PDB file of all heavy atoms in Angstrom:
ATOM      1  N   THR A   9      -6.992 -22.864 -16.106  1.00 49.00           N
ATOM      2  CA  THR A   9      -6.460 -23.711 -15.050  1.00 49.00           C
ATOM      3  C   THR A   9      -4.946 -23.651 -15.026  1.00 49.00           C
ATOM      4  O   THR A   9      -4.314 -23.845 -16.054  1.00 49.00           O
ATOM      5  CB  THR A   9      -6.888 -25.171 -15.277  1.00 49.00           C
ATOM      6  OG1 THR A   9      -8.297 -25.194 -15.489  1.00 49.00           O
ATOM      7  CG2 THR A   9      -6.513 -26.044 -14.105  1.00 49.00           C
ATOM      8  N   PRO A  10      -4.312 -23.341 -13.889  1.00 47.00           N
ATOM      9  CA  PRO A  10      -2.857 -23.280 -13.839  1.00 47.00           C
ATOM     10  C   PRO A  10      -2.239 -24.584 -14.326  1.00 47.00           C
ATOM     11  O   PRO A  10      -2.675 -25.674 -13.978  1.00 47.00           O
ATOM     12  CB  PRO A  10      -2.568 -23.046 -12.356  1.00 47.00           C
ATOM     13  CG  PRO A  10      -3.784 -22.378 -11.836  1.00 47.00           C
ATOM     14  CD  PRO A  10      -4.915 -22.994 -12.611  1.00 47.00           C
ATOM     15  N   GLY A  11      -1.196 -24.435 -15.145  1.00 43.00           N
ATOM     16  CA  GLY A  11      -0.503 -25.603 -15.650  1.00 43.00           C
ATOM     17  C   GLY A  11      -1.085 -26.152 -16.924  1.00 43.00           C
ATOM     18  O   GLY A  11      -0.627 -27.153 -17.454  1.00 43.00           O
ATOM     19  N   THR A  12      -2.122 -25.493 -17.470  1.00 46.00           N
ATOM     20  CA  THR A  12      -2.737 -25.961 -18.706  1.00 46.00           C
ATOM     21  C   THR A  12      -2.800 -24.815 -19.684  1.00 46.00           C
ATOM     22  O   THR A  12      -2.685 -23.653 -19.318  1.00 46.00           O
ATOM     23  CB  THR A  12      -4.164 -26.489 -18.472  1.00 46.00           C
ATOM     24  OG1 THR A  12      -4.983 -25.397 -18.036  1.00 46.00           O
ATOM     25  CG2 THR A  12      -4.190 -27.587 -17.444  1.00 46.00           C
ATOM     26  N   SER A  13      -3.001 -25.147 -20.935  1.00 43.00           N
ATOM     27  CA  SER A  13      -3.188 -24.125 -21.948  1.00 43.00           C
ATOM     28  C   SER A  13      -4.638 -23.701 -21.961  1.00 43.00           C
ATOM     29  O   SER A  13      -5.531 -24.488 -21.661  1.00 43.00           O
ATOM     30  CB  SER A  13      -2.790 -24.660 -23.330  1.00 43.00           C
ATOM     31  OG  SER A  13      -1.433 -25.040 -23.341  1.00 43.00           O
ATOM     32  N   SER A  14      -4.862 -22.461 -22.332  1.00 45.00           N
ATOM     33  CA  SER A  14      -6.238 -21.994 -22.429  1.00 45.00           C
ATOM     34  C   SER A  14      -6.951 -22.763 -23.516  1.00 45.00           C
ATOM     35  O   SER A  14      -6.412 -22.991 -24.586  1.00 45.00           O
ATOM     36  CB  SER A  14      -6.254 -20.499 -22.754  1.00 45.00           C
ATOM     37  OG  SER A  14      -5.656 -19.778 -21.718  1.00 45.00           O
ATOM     38  N   PRO A  15      -8.189 -23.185 -23.263  1.00 47.00           N
ATOM     39  CA  PRO A  15      -8.934 -23.888 -24.289  1.00 47.00           C
ATOM     40  C   PRO A  15      -9.153 -23.004 -25.490  1.00 47.00           C
ATOM     41  O   PRO A  15      -9.274 -21.796 -25.362  1.00 47.00           O
ATOM     42  CB  PRO A  15     -10.269 -24.232 -23.598  1.00 47.00           C
ATOM     43  CG  PRO A  15      -9.997 -24.083 -22.150  1.00 47.00           C
ATOM     44  CD  PRO A  15      -8.924 -23.061 -22.030  1.00 47.00           C
ATOM     45  N   PRO A  16      -9.194 -23.589 -26.692  1.00 44.00           N
ATOM     46  CA  PRO A  16      -9.459 -22.775 -27.866  1.00 44.00           C
ATOM     47  C   PRO A  16     -10.846 -22.189 -27.796  1.00 44.00           C
ATOM     48  O   PRO A  16     -11.766 -22.788 -27.277  1.00 44.00           O
ATOM     49  CB  PRO A  16      -9.334 -23.773 -29.031  1.00 44.00           C
ATOM     50  CG  PRO A  16      -9.621 -25.107 -28.403  1.00 44.00           C
ATOM     51  CD  PRO A  16      -9.088 -25.024 -27.004  1.00 44.00           C
ATOM     52  N   GLY A  17     -11.015 -21.021 -28.328  1.00 43.00           N
ATOM     53  CA  GLY A  17     -12.344 -20.390 -28.288  1.00 43.00           C
ATOM     54  C   GLY A  17     -12.266 -19.003 -28.837  1.00 43.00           C
ATOM     55  O   GLY A  17     -11.586 -18.731 -29.818  1.00 43.00           O
ATOM     56  N   ASP A  18     -12.935 -18.087 -28.166  1.00 44.00           N
ATOM     57  CA  ASP A  18     -13.026 -16.736 -28.681  1.00 44.00           C
ATOM     58  C   ASP A  18     -11.930 -15.837 -28.164  1.00 44.00           C
ATOM     59  O   ASP A  18     -11.932 -14.644 -28.387  1.00 44.00           O
ATOM     60  CB  ASP A  18     -14.393 -16.127 -28.327  1.00 44.00           C
ATOM     61  CG  ASP A  18     -14.678 -16.186 -26.844  1.00 44.00           C
ATOM     62  OD1 ASP A  18     -13.713 -16.270 -26.060  1.00 44.00           O
ATOM     63  OD2 ASP A  18     -15.847 -16.127 -26.458  1.00 44.00           O
ATOM     64  N   GLY A  19     -11.002 -16.383 -27.419  1.00 40.00           N
ATOM     65  CA  GLY A  19      -9.901 -15.573 -26.921  1.00 40.00           C
ATOM     66  C   GLY A  19     -10.204 -14.822 -25.667  1.00 40.00           C
ATOM     67  O   GLY A  19      -9.447 -13.957 -25.262  1.00 40.00           O
ATOM     68  N   SER A  20     -11.326 -15.110 -25.027  1.00 42.00           N
ATOM     69  CA  SER A  20     -11.699 -14.346 -23.844  1.00 42.00           C
ATOM     70  C   SER A  20     -11.011 -14.817 -22.589  1.00 42.00           C
ATOM     71  O   SER A  20     -11.066 -14.160 -21.571  1.00 42.00           O
ATOM     72  CB  SER A  20     -13.213 -14.410 -23.648  1.00 42.00           C
ATOM     73  OG  SER A  20     -13.624 -15.718 -23.411  1.00 42.00           O
ATOM     74  N   ALA A  21     -10.370 -15.967 -22.636  1.00 41.00           N
ATOM     75  CA  ALA A  21      -9.816 -16.494 -21.402  1.00 41.00           C
ATOM     76  C   ALA A  21      -8.466 -15.927 -21.070  1.00 41.00           C
ATOM     77  O   ALA A  21      -8.090 -15.843 -19.922  1.00 41.00           O
ATOM     78  CB  ALA A  21      -9.713 -18.011 -21.510  1.00 41.00           C
ATOM     79  N   GLY A  22      -7.687 -15.531 -22.076  1.00 40.00           N
ATOM     80  CA  GLY A  22      -6.365 -15.011 -21.806  1.00 40.00           C
ATOM     81  C   GLY A  22      -5.365 -16.127 -21.591  1.00 40.00           C
ATOM     82  O   GLY A  22      -5.679 -17.308 -21.693  1.00 40.00           O
ATOM     83  N   PRO A  23      -4.113 -15.803 -21.305  1.00 35.00           N
ATOM     84  CA  PRO A  23      -3.082 -16.823 -21.161  1.00 35.00           C
ATOM     85  C   PRO A  23      -3.224 -17.595 -19.874  1.00 35.00           C
ATOM     86  O   PRO A  23      -3.755 -17.109 -18.893  1.00 35.00           O
ATOM     87  CB  PRO A  23      -1.793 -15.986 -21.160  1.00 35.00           C
ATOM     88  CG  PRO A  23      -2.219 -14.672 -20.592  1.00 35.00           C
ATOM     89  CD  PRO A  23      -3.614 -14.448 -21.069  1.00 35.00           C
ATOM     90  N   SER A  24      -2.728 -18.824 -19.882  1.00 38.00           N
ATOM     91  CA  SER A  24      -2.664 -19.562 -18.620  1.00 38.00           C
ATOM     92  C   SER A  24      -1.479 -19.029 -17.825  1.00 38.00           C
ATOM     93  O   SER A  24      -0.591 -18.410 -18.372  1.00 38.00           O
ATOM     94  CB  SER A  24      -2.499 -21.053 -18.895  1.00 38.00           C
ATOM     95  OG  SER A  24      -1.295 -21.303 -19.601  1.00 38.00           O
ATOM     96  N   TRP A  25      -1.470 -19.309 -16.547  1.00 32.00           N
ATOM     97  CA  TRP A  25      -0.495 -18.655 -15.674  1.00 32.00           C
ATOM     98  C   TRP A  25       0.401 -19.629 -14.951  1.00 32.00           C
ATOM     99  O   TRP A  25       0.792 -19.390 -13.817  1.00 32.00           O
ATOM    100  CB  TRP A  25      -1.222 -17.760 -14.668  1.00 32.00           C
ATOM    101  CG  TRP A  25      -1.693 -16.506 -15.302  1.00 32.00           C
ATOM    102  CD1 TRP A  25      -1.256 -15.958 -16.453  1.00 32.00           C
ATOM    103  CD2 TRP A  25      -2.699 -15.637 -14.825  1.00 32.00           C
ATOM    104  NE1 TRP A  25      -1.928 -14.803 -16.726  1.00 32.00           N
ATOM    105  CE2 TRP A  25      -2.820 -14.576 -15.739  1.00 32.00           C
ATOM    106  CE3 TRP A  25      -3.527 -15.650 -13.694  1.00 32.00           C
ATOM    107  CZ2 TRP A  25      -3.717 -13.542 -15.571  1.00 32.00           C
ATOM    108  CZ3 TRP A  25      -4.424 -14.619 -13.525  1.00 32.00           C
ATOM    109  CH2 TRP A  25      -4.513 -13.565 -14.455  1.00 32.00           C
ATOM    110  N   GLY A  26       0.706 -20.748 -15.544  1.00 33.00           N
ATOM    111  CA  GLY A  26       1.718 -21.624 -14.990  1.00 33.00           C
ATOM    112  C   GLY A  26       1.192 -22.563 -13.928  1.00 33.00           C
ATOM    113  O   GLY A  26       0.030 -22.586 -13.567  1.00 33.00           O
ATOM    114  N   THR A  27       2.107 -23.368 -13.413  1.00 36.00           N
ATOM    115  CA  THR A  27       1.781 -24.397 -12.441  1.00 36.00           C
ATOM    116  C   THR A  27       1.526 -23.794 -11.072  1.00 36.00           C
ATOM    117  O   THR A  27       2.215 -22.873 -10.674  1.00 36.00           O
ATOM    118  CB  THR A  27       2.939 -25.397 -12.335  1.00 36.00           C
ATOM    119  OG1 THR A  27       3.212 -25.883 -13.656  1.00 36.00           O
ATOM    120  CG2 THR A  27       2.584 -26.563 -11.434  1.00 36.00           C
ATOM    121  N   PRO A  28       0.540 -24.287 -10.329  1.00 41.00           N
ATOM    122  CA  PRO A  28       0.303 -23.782  -8.975  1.00 41.00           C
ATOM    123  C   PRO A  28       1.556 -23.901  -8.122  1.00 41.00           C
ATOM    124  O   PRO A  28       2.281 -24.886  -8.204  1.00 41.00           O
ATOM    125  CB  PRO A  28      -0.813 -24.690  -8.444  1.00 41.00           C
ATOM    126  CG  PRO A  28      -1.466 -25.249  -9.656  1.00 41.00           C
ATOM    127  CD  PRO A  28      -0.395 -25.354 -10.696  1.00 41.00           C
ATOM    128  N   GLN A  29       1.788 -22.900  -7.296  1.00 42.00           N
ATOM    129  CA  GLN A  29       2.941 -22.900  -6.424  1.00 42.00           C
ATOM    130  C   GLN A  29       2.504 -23.112  -4.986  1.00 42.00           C
ATOM    131  O   GLN A  29       1.471 -22.610  -4.573  1.00 42.00           O
ATOM    132  CB  GLN A  29       3.707 -21.567  -6.533  1.00 42.00           C
ATOM    133  CG  GLN A  29       4.202 -21.292  -7.951  1.00 42.00           C
ATOM    134  CD  GLN A  29       5.056 -20.054  -7.991  1.00 42.00           C
ATOM    135  OE1 GLN A  29       5.842 -19.795  -7.075  1.00 42.00           O
ATOM    136  NE2 GLN A  29       4.917 -19.273  -9.056  1.00 42.00           N
ATOM    137  N   PRO A  30       3.274 -23.853  -4.209  1.00 40.00           N
ATOM    138  CA  PRO A  30       2.881 -24.080  -2.815  1.00 40.00           C
ATOM    139  C   PRO A  30       2.962 -22.800  -2.016  1.00 40.00           C
ATOM    140  O   PRO A  30       3.809 -21.955  -2.266  1.00 40.00           O
ATOM    141  CB  PRO A  30       3.922 -25.096  -2.325  1.00 40.00           C
ATOM    142  CG  PRO A  30       5.105 -24.883  -3.202  1.00 40.00           C
ATOM    143  CD  PRO A  30       4.562 -24.487  -4.545  1.00 40.00           C
ATOM    144  N   HIS A  31       2.036 -22.654  -1.068  1.00 40.00           N
ATOM    145  CA  HIS A  31       2.028 -21.463  -0.219  1.00 40.00           C
ATOM    146  C   HIS A  31       3.026 -21.634   0.917  1.00 40.00           C
ATOM    147  O   HIS A  31       2.937 -22.539   1.714  1.00 40.00           O
ATOM    148  CB  HIS A  31       0.636 -21.240   0.384  1.00 40.00           C
ATOM    149  CG  HIS A  31      -0.365 -20.780  -0.633  1.00 40.00           C
ATOM    150  ND1 HIS A  31      -0.189 -19.639  -1.367  1.00 40.00           N
ATOM    151  CD2 HIS A  31      -1.533 -21.319  -1.040  1.00 40.00           C
ATOM    152  CE1 HIS A  31      -1.221 -19.472  -2.178  1.00 40.00           C
ATOM    153  NE2 HIS A  31      -2.037 -20.488  -1.997  1.00 40.00           N
ATOM    154  N   ASP A  32       3.985 -20.754   0.990  1.00 36.00           N
ATOM    155  CA  ASP A  32       4.922 -20.702   2.110  1.00 36.00           C
ATOM    156  C   ASP A  32       5.090 -19.241   2.460  1.00 36.00           C
ATOM    157  O   ASP A  32       6.090 -18.613   2.137  1.00 36.00           O
ATOM    158  CB  ASP A  32       6.267 -21.328   1.722  1.00 36.00           C
ATOM    159  CG  ASP A  32       7.247 -21.357   2.901  1.00 36.00           C
ATOM    160  OD1 ASP A  32       6.773 -21.275   4.045  1.00 36.00           O
ATOM    161  OD2 ASP A  32       8.461 -21.441   2.663  1.00 36.00           O
ATOM    162  N   GLY A  33       4.065 -18.696   3.093  1.00 34.00           N
ATOM    163  CA  GLY A  33       4.026 -17.256   3.235  1.00 34.00           C
ATOM    164  C   GLY A  33       3.854 -16.680   1.847  1.00 34.00           C
ATOM    165  O   GLY A  33       3.093 -17.168   1.049  1.00 34.00           O
ATOM    166  N   TRP A  34       4.608 -15.631   1.529  1.00 33.00           N
ATOM    167  CA  TRP A  34       4.589 -15.062   0.194  1.00 33.00           C
ATOM    168  C   TRP A  34       5.920 -15.287  -0.510  1.00 33.00           C
ATOM    169  O   TRP A  34       6.211 -14.667  -1.519  1.00 33.00           O
ATOM    170  CB  TRP A  34       4.293 -13.565   0.242  1.00 33.00           C
ATOM    171  CG  TRP A  34       2.869 -13.291   0.492  1.00 33.00           C
ATOM    172  CD1 TRP A  34       2.301 -12.949   1.667  1.00 33.00           C
ATOM    173  CD2 TRP A  34       1.802 -13.371  -0.451  1.00 33.00           C
ATOM    174  NE1 TRP A  34       0.955 -12.807   1.526  1.00 33.00           N
ATOM    175  CE2 TRP A  34       0.625 -13.042   0.237  1.00 33.00           C
ATOM    176  CE3 TRP A  34       1.717 -13.686  -1.787  1.00 33.00           C
ATOM    177  CZ2 TRP A  34      -0.608 -13.030  -0.369  1.00 33.00           C
ATOM    178  CZ3 TRP A  34       0.494 -13.648  -2.397  1.00 33.00           C
ATOM    179  CH2 TRP A  34      -0.660 -13.323  -1.690  1.00 33.00           C
ATOM    180  N   GLY A  35       6.774 -16.167   0.030  1.00 32.00           N
ATOM    181  CA  GLY A  35       8.086 -16.361  -0.567  1.00 32.00           C
ATOM    182  C   GLY A  35       8.068 -17.355  -1.706  1.00 32.00           C
ATOM    183  O   GLY A  35       7.127 -18.079  -1.923  1.00 32.00           O
ATOM    184  N   ARG A  36       9.151 -17.392  -2.473  1.00 34.00           N
ATOM    185  CA  ARG A  36       9.314 -18.378  -3.523  1.00 34.00           C
ATOM    186  C   ARG A  36       9.560 -19.729  -2.888  1.00 34.00           C
ATOM    187  O   ARG A  36      10.146 -19.844  -1.816  1.00 34.00           O
ATOM    188  CB  ARG A  36      10.496 -18.008  -4.425  1.00 34.00           C
ATOM    189  CG  ARG A  36      10.333 -16.692  -5.148  1.00 34.00           C
ATOM    190  CD  ARG A  36      11.426 -16.537  -6.194  1.00 34.00           C
ATOM    191  NE  ARG A  36      12.759 -16.622  -5.627  1.00 34.00           N
ATOM    192  CZ  ARG A  36      13.434 -15.574  -5.187  1.00 34.00           C
ATOM    193  NH1 ARG A  36      12.874 -14.390  -5.211  1.00 34.00           N
ATOM    194  NH2 ARG A  36      14.644 -15.720  -4.722  1.00 34.00           N
ATOM    195  N   PRO A  37       9.176 -20.827  -3.585  1.00 34.00           N
ATOM    196  CA  PRO A  37       9.415 -22.159  -3.022  1.00 34.00           C
ATOM    197  C   PRO A  37      10.880 -22.448  -2.783  1.00 34.00           C
ATOM    198  O   PRO A  37      11.228 -23.211  -1.890  1.00 34.00           O
ATOM    199  CB  PRO A  37       8.827 -23.085  -4.100  1.00 34.00           C
ATOM    200  CG  PRO A  37       7.817 -22.257  -4.828  1.00 34.00           C
ATOM    201  CD  PRO A  37       8.370 -20.870  -4.812  1.00 34.00           C
ATOM    202  N   ASP A  38      11.768 -21.821  -3.596  1.00 37.00           N
ATOM    203  CA  ASP A  38      13.195 -22.107  -3.447  1.00 37.00           C
ATOM    204  C   ASP A  38      13.923 -21.063  -2.613  1.00 37.00           C
ATOM    205  O   ASP A  38      15.140 -21.038  -2.561  1.00 37.00           O
ATOM    206  CB  ASP A  38      13.851 -22.198  -4.838  1.00 37.00           C
ATOM    207  CG  ASP A  38      13.688 -20.904  -5.635  1.00 37.00           C
ATOM    208  OD1 ASP A  38      12.855 -20.066  -5.225  1.00 37.00           O
ATOM    209  OD2 ASP A  38      14.387 -20.751  -6.653  1.00 37.00           O
ATOM    210  N   GLN A  39      13.183 -20.166  -1.965  1.00 37.00           N
ATOM    211  CA  GLN A  39      13.817 -19.086  -1.221  1.00 37.00           C
ATOM    212  C   GLN A  39      14.263 -19.568   0.149  1.00 37.00           C
ATOM    213  O   GLN A  39      13.488 -20.187   0.872  1.00 37.00           O
ATOM    214  CB  GLN A  39      12.825 -17.927  -1.065  1.00 37.00           C
ATOM    215  CG  GLN A  39      13.427 -16.700  -0.373  1.00 37.00           C
ATOM    216  CD  GLN A  39      12.409 -15.582  -0.316  1.00 37.00           C
ATOM    217  OE1 GLN A  39      11.230 -15.810  -0.505  1.00 37.00           O
ATOM    218  NE2 GLN A  39      12.856 -14.388  -0.047  1.00 37.00           N
ATOM    219  N   PRO A  40      15.500 -19.311   0.559  1.00 38.00           N
ATOM    220  CA  PRO A  40      15.949 -19.692   1.895  1.00 38.00           C
ATOM    221  C   PRO A  40      15.089 -19.047   2.963  1.00 38.00           C
ATOM    222  O   PRO A  40      14.598 -17.935   2.790  1.00 38.00           O
ATOM    223  CB  PRO A  40      17.396 -19.165   1.942  1.00 38.00           C
ATOM    224  CG  PRO A  40      17.804 -19.018   0.504  1.00 38.00           C
ATOM    225  CD  PRO A  40      16.564 -18.681  -0.243  1.00 38.00           C
ATOM    226  N   VAL A  41      14.915 -19.757   4.049  1.00 36.00           N
ATOM    227  CA  VAL A  41      13.986 -19.290   5.080  1.00 36.00           C
ATOM    228  C   VAL A  41      14.527 -18.084   5.830  1.00 36.00           C
ATOM    229  O   VAL A  41      13.785 -17.422   6.537  1.00 36.00           O
ATOM    230  CB  VAL A  41      13.709 -20.421   6.102  1.00 36.00           C
ATOM    231  CG1 VAL A  41      12.997 -21.551   5.426  1.00 36.00           C
ATOM    232  CG2 VAL A  41      15.004 -20.906   6.754  1.00 36.00           C
ATOM    233  N   ASP A  42      15.823 -17.781   5.699  1.00 39.00           N
ATOM    234  CA  ASP A  42      16.353 -16.648   6.451  1.00 39.00           C
ATOM    235  C   ASP A  42      16.357 -15.371   5.629  1.00 39.00           C
ATOM    236  O   ASP A  42      16.942 -14.373   6.028  1.00 39.00           O
ATOM    237  CB  ASP A  42      17.787 -16.949   6.929  1.00 39.00           C
ATOM    238  CG  ASP A  42      18.734 -17.277   5.763  1.00 39.00           C
ATOM    239  OD1 ASP A  42      18.210 -17.531   4.644  1.00 39.00           O
ATOM    240  OD2 ASP A  42      19.950 -17.275   5.988  1.00 39.00           O
ATOM    241  N   GLN A  43      15.731 -15.399   4.436  1.00 39.00           N
ATOM    242  CA  GLN A  43      15.669 -14.208   3.622  1.00 39.00           C
ATOM    243  C   GLN A  43      14.260 -13.637   3.670  1.00 39.00           C
ATOM    244  O   GLN A  43      13.292 -14.353   3.896  1.00 39.00           O
ATOM    245  CB  GLN A  43      16.048 -14.529   2.170  1.00 39.00           C
ATOM    246  CG  GLN A  43      17.518 -14.909   2.018  1.00 39.00           C
ATOM    247  CD  GLN A  43      17.883 -15.085   0.556  1.00 39.00           C
ATOM    248  OE1 GLN A  43      17.098 -14.774  -0.328  1.00 39.00           O
ATOM    249  NE2 GLN A  43      19.084 -15.586   0.310  1.00 39.00           N
ATOM    250  N   PRO A  44      14.119 -12.308   3.434  1.00 39.00           N
ATOM    251  CA  PRO A  44      12.789 -11.713   3.458  1.00 39.00           C
ATOM    252  C   PRO A  44      11.876 -12.359   2.434  1.00 39.00           C
ATOM    253  O   PRO A  44      12.301 -12.760   1.364  1.00 39.00           O
ATOM    254  CB  PRO A  44      13.056 -10.229   3.106  1.00 39.00           C
ATOM    255  CG  PRO A  44      14.495 -10.014   3.447  1.00 39.00           C
ATOM    256  CD  PRO A  44      15.183 -11.337   3.192  1.00 39.00           C
ATOM    257  N   SER A  45      10.627 -12.459   2.797  1.00 36.00           N
ATOM    258  CA  SER A  45       9.630 -13.114   1.936  1.00 36.00           C
ATOM    259  C   SER A  45       8.892 -12.068   1.126  1.00 36.00           C
ATOM    260  O   SER A  45       8.157 -11.269   1.667  1.00 36.00           O
ATOM    261  CB  SER A  45       8.638 -13.884   2.805  1.00 36.00           C
ATOM    262  OG  SER A  45       7.597 -14.364   2.021  1.00 36.00           O
ATOM    263  N   VAL A  46       9.129 -12.050  -0.178  1.00 39.00           N
ATOM    264  CA  VAL A  46       8.454 -11.128  -1.072  1.00 39.00           C
ATOM    265  C   VAL A  46       8.108 -11.865  -2.344  1.00 39.00           C
ATOM    266  O   VAL A  46       8.676 -12.900  -2.657  1.00 39.00           O
ATOM    267  CB  VAL A  46       9.330  -9.892  -1.414  1.00 39.00           C
ATOM    268  CG1 VAL A  46       9.595  -9.070  -0.188  1.00 39.00           C
ATOM    269  CG2 VAL A  46      10.660 -10.329  -2.047  1.00 39.00           C
ATOM    270  N   LEU A  47       7.165 -11.317  -3.096  1.00 38.00           N
ATOM    271  CA  LEU A  47       6.861 -11.914  -4.379  1.00 38.00           C
ATOM    272  C   LEU A  47       8.021 -11.715  -5.335  1.00 38.00           C
ATOM    273  O   LEU A  47       8.673 -10.665  -5.309  1.00 38.00           O
ATOM    274  CB  LEU A  47       5.609 -11.256  -4.978  1.00 38.00           C
ATOM    275  CG  LEU A  47       4.285 -11.810  -4.495  1.00 38.00           C
ATOM    276  CD1 LEU A  47       3.163 -10.934  -5.037  1.00 38.00           C
ATOM    277  CD2 LEU A  47       4.098 -13.241  -4.931  1.00 38.00           C
ATOM    278  N   PRO A  48       8.329 -12.717  -6.188  1.00 38.00           N
ATOM    279  CA  PRO A  48       9.435 -12.583  -7.116  1.00 38.00           C
ATOM    280  C   PRO A  48       9.289 -11.343  -7.985  1.00 38.00           C
ATOM    281  O   PRO A  48       8.287 -11.154  -8.656  1.00 38.00           O
ATOM    282  CB  PRO A  48       9.325 -13.859  -7.977  1.00 38.00           C
ATOM    283  CG  PRO A  48       8.538 -14.818  -7.148  1.00 38.00           C
ATOM    284  CD  PRO A  48       7.620 -13.979  -6.330  1.00 38.00           C
ATOM    285  N   GLY A  49      10.293 -10.462  -7.954  1.00 40.00           N
ATOM    286  CA  GLY A  49      10.311  -9.286  -8.804  1.00 40.00           C
ATOM    287  C   GLY A  49       9.331  -8.222  -8.409  1.00 40.00           C
ATOM    288  O   GLY A  49       9.052  -7.314  -9.188  1.00 40.00           O
ATOM    289  N   ALA A  50       8.753  -8.328  -7.203  1.00 41.00           N
ATOM    290  CA  ALA A  50       7.752  -7.341  -6.796  1.00 41.00           C
ATOM    291  C   ALA A  50       8.389  -5.975  -6.661  1.00 41.00           C
ATOM    292  O   ALA A  50       9.461  -5.839  -6.088  1.00 41.00           O
ATOM    293  CB  ALA A  50       7.117  -7.747  -5.470  1.00 41.00           C
ATOM    294  N   PRO A  51       7.768  -4.935  -7.210  1.00 42.00           N
ATOM    295  CA  PRO A  51       8.322  -3.595  -7.082  1.00 42.00           C
ATOM    296  C   PRO A  51       8.140  -3.086  -5.672  1.00 42.00           C
ATOM    297  O   PRO A  51       7.335  -3.598  -4.904  1.00 42.00           O
ATOM    298  CB  PRO A  51       7.456  -2.788  -8.077  1.00 42.00           C
ATOM    299  CG  PRO A  51       6.154  -3.521  -8.100  1.00 42.00           C
ATOM    300  CD  PRO A  51       6.513  -4.968  -7.935  1.00 42.00           C
ATOM    301  N   PRO A  52       8.894  -2.061  -5.301  1.00 41.00           N
ATOM    302  CA  PRO A  52       8.717  -1.493  -3.966  1.00 41.00           C
ATOM    303  C   PRO A  52       7.350  -0.871  -3.830  1.00 41.00           C
ATOM    304  O   PRO A  52       6.690  -0.565  -4.815  1.00 41.00           O
ATOM    305  CB  PRO A  52       9.837  -0.424  -3.903  1.00 41.00           C
ATOM    306  CG  PRO A  52      10.107  -0.075  -5.330  1.00 41.00           C
ATOM    307  CD  PRO A  52       9.912  -1.358  -6.098  1.00 41.00           C
ATOM    308  N   GLN A  53       6.934  -0.691  -2.596  1.00 41.00           N
ATOM    309  CA  GLN A  53       5.627  -0.087  -2.356  1.00 41.00           C
ATOM    310  C   GLN A  53       5.602   1.311  -2.948  1.00 41.00           C
ATOM    311  O   GLN A  53       6.587   2.041  -2.922  1.00 41.00           O
ATOM    312  CB  GLN A  53       5.326  -0.020  -0.867  1.00 41.00           C
ATOM    313  CG  GLN A  53       5.167  -1.397  -0.249  1.00 41.00           C
ATOM    314  CD  GLN A  53       4.596  -1.308   1.143  1.00 41.00           C
ATOM    315  OE1 GLN A  53       3.988  -0.328   1.490  1.00 41.00           O
ATOM    316  NE2 GLN A  53       4.796  -2.345   1.919  1.00 41.00           N
ATOM    317  N   GLY A  54       4.404   1.625  -3.493  1.00 41.00           N
ATOM    318  CA  GLY A  54       4.281   2.917  -4.153  1.00 41.00           C
ATOM    319  C   GLY A  54       4.749   2.858  -5.589  1.00 41.00           C
ATOM    320  O   GLY A  54       5.046   3.868  -6.187  1.00 41.00           O
TER     321      GLY A  54
END
C-alpha cells in the first residue's frame, strides 16, 4: 500500500512505493502549469 511499509513476511512483496500522488495529467504536483508535463526523471523515448 502506498505510504506504508511492506508487511513482514517472506519478502515477496518488495518495497513500498511512497505516498499516492494526485493525478494532474502526468506532471509533478509542484510543476508549474506552463511547463511540459512529464514523469519526474523520465528518460527520452527510446
Side-chain angles (χ1 to χ4, degrees):
T9 310
T12 65
S13 299
S14 297
D18 55 23
S20 63
S24 61
W25 284 341
T27 306
Q29 300 186 38
H31 289 302
D32 183 21
W34 284 100
R36 298 190 303 270
D38 59 346
Q39 184 177 16
V41 295
D42 58 346
Q43 292 186 9
S45 172
V46 295
L47 276 173
Q53 294 192 21

